[in-house]
Amino acid sequence: MAQAEATITDEFNAFTVAQRQFDIAADHLGLEDGLRLVLRTTKREFTTHFPVQMDNGDVEVFTGYRVQHDLGRGPAKGGIRYHPDVTLDEVKALAMWMTWKCAVVRLPYGGAKGGVVCDPKGMSLAELEKLTRRFTTELAPMIGPDSDIPAPDVNTNSQTMAWIMDTYSMHHGYSIPSVVTGKPVNVGGSEGRVEATGRGVVFTIESAAREIELDLADATVVVQGFGNAGSVAATLLRRDYKCRILAVSDTSGAIYSSAGIDPAQAVAYKRQNGALAGMPGTEPLTNEELLALPCDILIPAALENQILASNADRIQARIIAEAANGPTTPEADQILYENGQMLIPDILANAGGVTVSYFEWVQDKQAFFWKEAEINEKLRLIMTSSFAEVLAMAKQEHVDMRTAAYLIAVSRVADATRVRGIYP
Ligand code: NAD
């Protein structure tokens, strides 16, 4: 238990939260002690401090991490995040969540995650390219198409992935597109990958709405975090299901309109102005007000630790769909469950991203590419069947949806570990 004890500092430490979520499932499953130790511990943690020459000629040293949690079911898979608040414990938590996520949707992957402590908003494109290429070089012994495959996350995108692919390929002397997913389509990316996380969230919301008999036409939606995951979910819910998007937010603040916000207009406004705040026809809100708005569906799509014991009681949504990783603490989970709200946990709700990343990796390895309609249909099948499995488990075991998803995921990873055995 040495690793676990050393990292427990407070209730909002993401790795502590991840371990507590795991413990709830391990207790429920009666998991044997040795296996419990293996699975609640990360396998590899890599830290690098690397220099980048900035545009003004100064040299800055950045810190980056890559953590692999478990490789029992296949190569490690997980995104790379650029953010000033990245910590090793956050990356460890995100890596562990990736293991469970891949297991819930039956992808043949283990979990990993990476991050660089930086403020990308204050950096030029040239500086971001240098940082990415140097970080990739530092990671080179660890990543690879059969060992560990990065993808986009907060503040990284298809351009970042193209730089990673190019840098890794330059080191080998030929193109290796399958080393990374979320690339632009013209260099081996997959159709549908940019929208995959938000689209997957929407498929799980559709299943949840059917279960609680909520009519999605004119259902009200609130989205915290209007980035890749959040803006796509809002756009599809409006366009395909006629939901009313009451409020959305980004780091500049939240905006509200009782008549409904057009997500396409919000995307265009944010692109032009760099922020949502001040969009004509909307009123400003605080983050706390946004979370407490009366609505049918709340989508946390920003960062960890947003729904807590201190504010969970104020949340009124009937469905909470976690597009973000780790937005809800275990205490808040309990409150929402007791209040009869349906929470679709991150390891299920946002698994669409890694699912289409898996499709991209398969296409790259075969050098044979699929049409977007085929990809979206395969994604729908995986998301809806995984949701149904988790819901059935929740009903059977009388537990909340997160615990149900963990019971399924931890069992699958534990089975793989048992059958492979402990080497040597
Ligand atoms: P992104 O960088 O595209 O967007 C993040 C958004 O959140 C931005 O609009 C930012 O302004 C906003 N934000 C940040 N802090 C905020 C705060 N305190 N309040 C309100 N808004 C805030 O990132 P993304 O890829 O959409 O990732 C968002 C979440 O979804 C993360 O938790 C990420 O791990 C998770 N996720 C992403 C993917 C993916 O494929 N991109 C897949 C699975 C899970």
Side-chain angles (χ1 to χ4, degrees):
M1 293 277 179
Q3 180 191 16
E5 281 161 8
T7 57
I8 294 175
T9 50
D10 63 65
E11 64 175 309
F12 301 131
N13 177 307
F15 191 56
T16 308
V17 169
Q19 288 187 315
R20 285 164 61 211
Q21 293 168 339
F22 166 78
D23 286 341
I24 293 169
D27 287 345
H28 201 100
L29 290 168
L31 207 65
E32 55 271 37
D33 285 348
L35 205 45
R36 191 187 281 245
L37 261 181
V38 171
L39 297 184
R40 77 196 299 280
T41 309
T42 53
K43 179 181 173 66
R44 291 191 183 110
E45 296 163 15
F46 175 77
T47 301
T48 171
H49 308 285
F50 58 95
V52 176
Q53 187 155 36
M54 311 304 278
D55 291 348
N56 65 3
D58 289 352
V59 172
E60 283 189 27
V61 173
F62 292 87
T63 297
Y65 306 105
R66 184 77 182 167
V67 174
Q68 296 173 349
H69 168 251
D70 187 272
L71 306 179
R73 299 179 60 262
K77 189 88 189 76
I80 290 182
R81 171 177 294 194
Y82 290 172
H83 197 278
D85 299 335
V86 165
T87 63
L88 180 57
D89 272 355
E90 179 188 54
V91 179
K92 286 165 66 175
L94 290 161
M96 188 190 261
W97 287 327
M98 285 306 298
T99 301
W100 311 138
K101 190 179 304 178
C102 293
V104 168
V105 291
R106 297 179 189 271
L107 304 181
Y109 286 137
K113 203 81 177 193
V116 177
V117 186
C118 64
D119 181 8
K121 289 190 183 130
M123 295 172 68
S124 71
L125 204 61
E127 289 168 342
L128 284 170
E129 178 173 353
K130 281 195 228 171
L131 177 139
T132 302
R133 288 186 182 280
R134 180 61 189 250
F135 184 50
T136 305
T137 305
E138 300 288 332
L139 286 182
M142 199 163 175
I143 61 172
D146 296 310
S147 54
D148 184 346
I149 307 122
D153 194 71
V154 174
N155 291 327
T156 57
N157 56 25
S158 59
Q159 176 62 77
T160 325
M161 300 306 115
W163 290 328
I164 294 176
M165 186 275 255
D166 185 70
T167 306
Y168 188 85
S169 298
M170 286 298 149
H171 291 175
H172 288 76
Y174 54 95
S175 286
I176 309 178
S178 54
V179 67
V180 75
T181 60
K183 300 176 295 293
V185 169
N186 61 2
V187 290
S190 177
E191 298 287 352
R193 175 60 186 88
V194 171
E195 301 83 10
T197 304
R199 178 167 277 125
V201 170
V202 169
F203 287 149
T204 64
I205 289 173
E206 191 186 11
S207 296
R210 198 173 302 119
E211 172 64 18
I212 66 163
E213 296 180 1
L214 169 69
D215 184 0
L216 283 179
D218 212 36
T220 50
V221 179
V222 168
V223 181
Q224 182 201 43
F226 201 64
N228 172 277
S231 70
V232 171
T235 301
L236 296 180
L237 284 171
R238 176 70 206 144
R239 192 192 72 191
D240 297 348
Y241 300 85
K242 308 290 171 246
C243 294
R244 187 152 43 106
I245 314 300
L246 284 184
V248 296
S249 71
D250 63 11
T251 44
S252 71
I255 55 173
Y256 168 81
S257 162
S258 58
I261 293 167
D262 177 353
Q265 265 179 25
V267 168
Y269 184 84
K270 188 172 160 76
R271 190 174 299 137
Q272 208 167 28
N273 300 278
L276 290 169
M279 182 170 147
T282 65
E283 299 163 34
L285 284 183
T286 64
N287 185 45
E288 280 303 314
E289 289 169 334
L290 171 118
L291 291 176
L293 274 178
C295 65
D296 296 309
I297 301 161
L298 171 65
I299 306 179
L303 293 170
E304 300 90 69
N305 291 326
Q306 299 302 311
I307 304 178
L308 317 169
S310 56
N311 66 3
D313 252 335
R314 292 202 286 277
I315 286 172
Q316 302 187 50
R318 295 179 67 193
I319 296 172
I320 298 118
E322 292 185 332
N325 287 305
T328 312
T329 62
E331 291 75 19
D333 268 338
Q334 190 61 29
I335 293 168
L336 297 172
Y337 184 56
E338 282 165 9
N339 288 343
Q341 290 153 292
M342 177 176 276
L343 181 141
I344 314 170
D346 46 11
I347 59 171
L348 171 64
N350 71 39
V354 71
T355 300
V356 176
S357 273
Y358 166 65
F359 296 161
E360 179 174 334
W361 181 73
V362 169
Q363 292 171 82
D364 285 340
K365 283 190 158 270
Q366 298 178 342
F368 180 69
F369 291 87
W370 315 340
K371 296 262 185 287
E372 184 172 355
E374 187 182 352
I375 285 159
N376 292 346
E377 191 45 34
K378 283 186 161 76
L379 174 64
R380 170 191 282 279
L381 281 174
I382 289 179
M383 297 307 295
T384 52
S385 63
S386 303
F387 182 95
E389 280 186 288
V390 173
L391 182 66
M393 178 65 83
K395 288 182 177 173
Q396 181 193 305
E397 297 297 315
H398 306 289
V399 293
D400 61 280
M401 290 284 282
R402 186 182 321 277
T403 305
Y406 267 72
L407 292 178
I408 292 171
V410 172
S411 297
R412 286 178 184 158
V413 180
D415 284 349
T417 314
R418 271 193 216 99
V419 76
R420 285 181 66 153
I422 302 293
Y423 177 85

